[in-house]
Amino acid sequence: QVQLVESGGGLVQAGGSLRLSCAASGSIYSLNAMGWYHQVPGNQRELVAFITSDGDTNYADSVKGRFTISMDNAKNTVYLQMNSLKPEDTAVYYCYADVQYREYVVSRYYWGQGTQVTVSS
């Protein structure tokens, strides 16, 4: 019903920058919010940042001041600009979208396939 395609991960040195993108497509009646989680093997998936369709944002304390989330509503695409990257940012980053796929149904989360971000020291 809804597909999320991520791009932009990779390998970067500490202090460097990466920009992640995630485009949502398919049956989208209402897109309430989009965001990013990350996960390190053996740990739970953790929220990095999210943005609502109204433009409200929220960040994990560990990334405040370094990461910026934005969304292009016309393209149903969310971006995560990651600056001043640290080795501890190394993880698989998963995009999600809170989507109502048709009128009168409850919204639910859809997930991307994940993209690896590796920050070397």
Side-chain angles (χ1 to χ4, degrees), residues 24-116:
S25 62
S27 301
I28 299 174
Y29 174 79
S30 177
L31 182 57
N32 301 319
M34 296 185 76
W36 298 88
Y37 279 70
H38 68 195
Q39 187 171 24
V40 175
N43 289 2
Q44 289 187 334
R45 199 171 289 190
E46 298 178 340
L47 179 67
V48 176
F50 72 84
I51 183 168
T52 70
S53 58
D54 293 331
D56 294 328
T57 59
N58 186 279
Y59 296 91
D61 288 341
S62 60
V63 307
K64 284 180 180 177
R66 300 188 298 121
F67 291 10
T68 302
I69 191 168
S70 59
M71 187 160 68
D72 185 332
N73 290 330
K75 296 181 179 180
N76 291 336
T77 299
V78 65
Y79 306 95
L80 186 67
Q81 179 66 43
M82 305 186 293
N83 298 329
S84 303
L85 282 161
K86 304 176 181 179
E88 50 263 43
D89 295 319
T90 296
V92 177
Y93 283 70
Y94 294 93
C95 168
Y96 80 91
D98 182 8
V99 173
Q100 185 181 1
Y101 75 90
R102 66 176 183 176
E103 196 174 12
Y104 305 125
V105 301
V106 177
S107 67
R108 56 157 286 189
Y109 280 24
Y110 293 85
W111 295 91
Q113 77 281 6
T115 184
Q116 177 70 44

